[in-house]
Amino acid sequence: MSLPFNVYQEIASIAARYATQDGEVQTAIESLGISRRTTPSAPCHGSYRPCLAMVIQGSKSVQLGTDTINYGAGDYLLTSLDLPVAWRVVEASKEVPHFCIALAIDSEKLLDLMRRVPIDPPTEPADAQRGIVVNTATPELLDAAIRLLRLLDRPADIAAMAPLIEQEILYRILTGPAGGQLMNIIAAGSHGNRIARAIAWLRENFARQLRIEDLADHIGMSVSSFHHHFKTITAMTPVQYQKQLRLHEARRLMLAERLDAGTAGHRVGYQSPSQFSREYSRFYGLSPSRDIDASREMMAAEQAVSPSALRA
């Protein structure tokens, strides 16, 4: 399939109309978001949920455990389960902003599609794949993406048409090179599905003491198999995963709820303030107080130069 127009130029044009300032915008299509950046960014820590993220302009880098994943215009990043990451925009300018569109993946819709439509399983096992993979967008996937974006200009059509196009996008992913990874995560009884269940437990209970033996038993795996498959999919051990969840949440509590470091550390499961400070400094590169002060200064500076601030 070939497209008779510059699809990236059209998507960027639509994205620019709905994302007029740097940051993330939730669109009128519930599962669709747009990210815009006009300058390269410092590393930002957070979590990626199951989604398709397609770069339209510029480039981006994601750190997952020990892996560094780079992707640029024409690439899509598929995240198949909840993963703590550090990401940064590598290439962006005022003349050519970085644009990325992200479509959240609903596991129930995915399972429903797989039940209704026969999809051949991958020829190669997906157990060895990471929970984040990058591939080049096919013309068929781009065609569906641009039709979804065009609905933003026709809001009356969204309720009827968006679910159909989202289903088509899911189908293109499942039948593409990353389809096996998605199938492995949602197929009951697969190693990937068991790891996804372990991750769901960790997200709900990250402040509790982690006993690997109990968690492995909870998902029906041996300790050695659990360790192996967890690290294969997430590029980190279960303990490292829990630690990143704790540190991300503590940082959010200090920034959003203005808790002090000791209270935030205790809230996320640290019994020793000195241990929390050491691990925080090692992970973020600054002590909790210095990191939060620097982040607040940066946010204040961005707000001071934003178009809305200037109009005010």
Side-chain angles (χ1 to χ4, degrees), residues 64-190:
L64 172 67
T66 56
D67 291 355
T68 300
I69 304 161
N70 300 304
Y71 62 118
D75 295 331
Y76 71 90
L77 179 141
L78 177 69
T79 305
S80 54
L81 68 174
D82 295 355
L83 295 168
V85 299
W87 60 268
R88 66 188 183 94
V89 171
V90 177
E91 183 182 355
S93 67
K94 291 182 179 180
E95 295 74 22
V96 185
H98 164 81
F99 282 118
C100 181
I101 60 172
L103 183 71
I105 294 176
D106 186 308
S107 60
E108 292 301 319
K109 293 179 181 178
L110 202 58
L111 284 168
D112 178 65
L113 177 62
M114 292 180 64
R115 283 192 291 263
R116 292 185 292 102
V117 180
I119 299 175
D120 294 332
T123 55
E124 297 182 3
D127 285 354
Q129 291 185 3
R130 293 286 195 240
I132 290 180
V133 293
V134 171
N135 286 286
T136 301
T138 63
E140 291 80 8
L141 183 57
L142 286 168
D143 179 57
I146 187 58
R147 284 186 279 113
L148 185 67
L149 266 291
R150 286 171 181 163
L151 291 179
L152 296 177
D153 293 332
R154 303 193 306 272
D157 293 346
I158 289 176
M161 299 303 299
L164 301 178
I165 302 175
E166 289 175 32
Q167 178 177 271
E168 179 182 348
I169 290 173
L170 290 179
Y171 175 78
R172 297 300 180 192
I173 298 171
L174 283 171
T175 56
Q181 182 63 10
L182 270 186
M183 293 182 194
N184 182 48
I185 295 299
I186 65 174
S190 66

Side-chain angles (χ1 to χ4, degrees), residues 208-241:
R208 294 173 56 180
Q209 182 179 1
L210 174 60
R211 284 182 50 83
I212 299 297
E213 297 82 0
D214 293 343
L215 184 51
D217 182 66
H218 174 70
I219 62 171
M221 298 181 77
S222 69
V223 171
S224 60
S225 179
F226 174 49
H227 261 291
H228 169 71
H229 289 288
F230 193 98
K231 190 166 186 178
T232 295
I233 291 174
T234 68
M236 63 191 89
T237 67
V239 171
Q240 290 169 333
Y241 185 101

